[in-house]
């Protein structure tokens, strides 16, 4: 019985420390960017499982971001609604304010043209996307690039 408990605890610890979400497909919203094939605000899937780059699919439209071409990544957490001081205090007394989790990526495409895109993802998926960037984009210094946005939008 003790061996069974020890084995179950070992499996649970290994599962807890495995980097979940590094290679997965996640829901994301294309907020804005230079990609003209996809309309702003389009919901789709962001696939980080490819070793060459991440792919975003929204319906029939799609584009790819090469891991090696990413020059800058920025994480930004903003309030979903602007309420003003009194509104923020009133809502803050009742419940937590909802947040947007935005990830902005800047890269050069195959023609050496600078591109940028901003995705909105859930809090958990933003951590998974940041992990994928850390693993697949070693050229990035992500500690300098993580920030909160005082203005409400990425700079």
């Amino acid at each position: 019985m003790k061996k069974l408990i020890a084995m179950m605890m070992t499996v649970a610890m290994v599962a807890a420390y495995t980097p979940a979400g590094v290679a997965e497909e996640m829901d994301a919203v294309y907020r804005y960017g230079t990609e003209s094939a996809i309309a702003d605000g389009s919901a789709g899937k962001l696939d980080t499982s490819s070793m060459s780059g991440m792919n975003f699919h929204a319906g029939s439209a799609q584009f790819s971001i090469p891991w090696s071409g990413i020059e800058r990544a920025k994480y930004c957490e903003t309030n979903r609604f602007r309420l003003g001081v009194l509104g923020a205090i009133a809502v803050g007394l009742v419940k937590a304010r909802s947040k947007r989790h935005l990830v902005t990526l800047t890269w050069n495409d195959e023609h050496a043209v600078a591109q940028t895109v901003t995705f909105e993802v859930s809090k958990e998926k933003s951590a998974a996307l940041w992990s994928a960037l850390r693993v697949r984009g070693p050229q990035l210094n992500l500690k300098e690039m993580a920030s909160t946005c005082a203005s409400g939008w990425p700079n």
Side-chain angles (χ1 to χ4, degrees):
M1 185 67 170
K2 288 181 181 180
K3 288 182 180 181
L4 179 64
I5 292 173
M7 186 169 32
M8 287 177 26
M9 288 179 62
T10 303
V11 168
M13 289 177 64
V14 168
Y17 288 107
T18 302
V22 170
E24 72 174 67
E25 191 172 89
M26 61 185 80
D27 293 327
V29 176
Y30 176 85
R31 279 291 149 210
Y32 48 85
T34 56
E35 186 59 44
S36 60
I38 298 179
D40 292 353
S42 297
K45 298 280 185 186
L46 188 61
D47 183 13
T48 60
S49 62
S50 173
M51 292 302 286
S52 61
M54 70 174 74
N55 302 309
F56 182 73
H57 306 277
S60 62
Q62 66 179 11
F63 66 93
S64 210
I65 302 171
W67 294 114
S68 60
I70 298 175
E71 294 179 347
R72 185 163 174 75
K74 184 174 182 182
Y75 170 76
C76 186
E77 180 181 305
T78 64
N79 290 322
R80 187 168 296 277
F81 303 105
R82 295 180 185 266
L83 302 175
V85 174
L86 293 177
I89 292 171
V91 169
L93 291 172
V94 178
K95 67 175 206 147
R97 296 189 54 192
S98 63
K99 305 276 186 181
R100 286 181 193 215
H101 301 275
L102 304 170
V103 177
T104 302
L105 302 172
T106 304
W107 77 98
N108 288 325
D109 64 7
E110 61 274 358
H111 304 294
V113 176
Q115 303 287 336
T116 185
V117 66
T118 298
F119 294 110
E120 180 179 346
V121 292
S122 68
K123 184 176 185 177
E124 295 80 21
K125 297 301 180 183
S126 66
L129 181 55
W130 210 250
S131 292
L133 286 168
R134 185 178 300 117
V135 171
R136 306 269 160 94
Q139 73 275 14
L140 299 171
N141 186 356
L142 296 177
K143 290 184 181 179
E144 289 180 4
M145 296 180 190
S147 69
T148 57
C149 299
S151 65
W153 293 102
N155 297 330

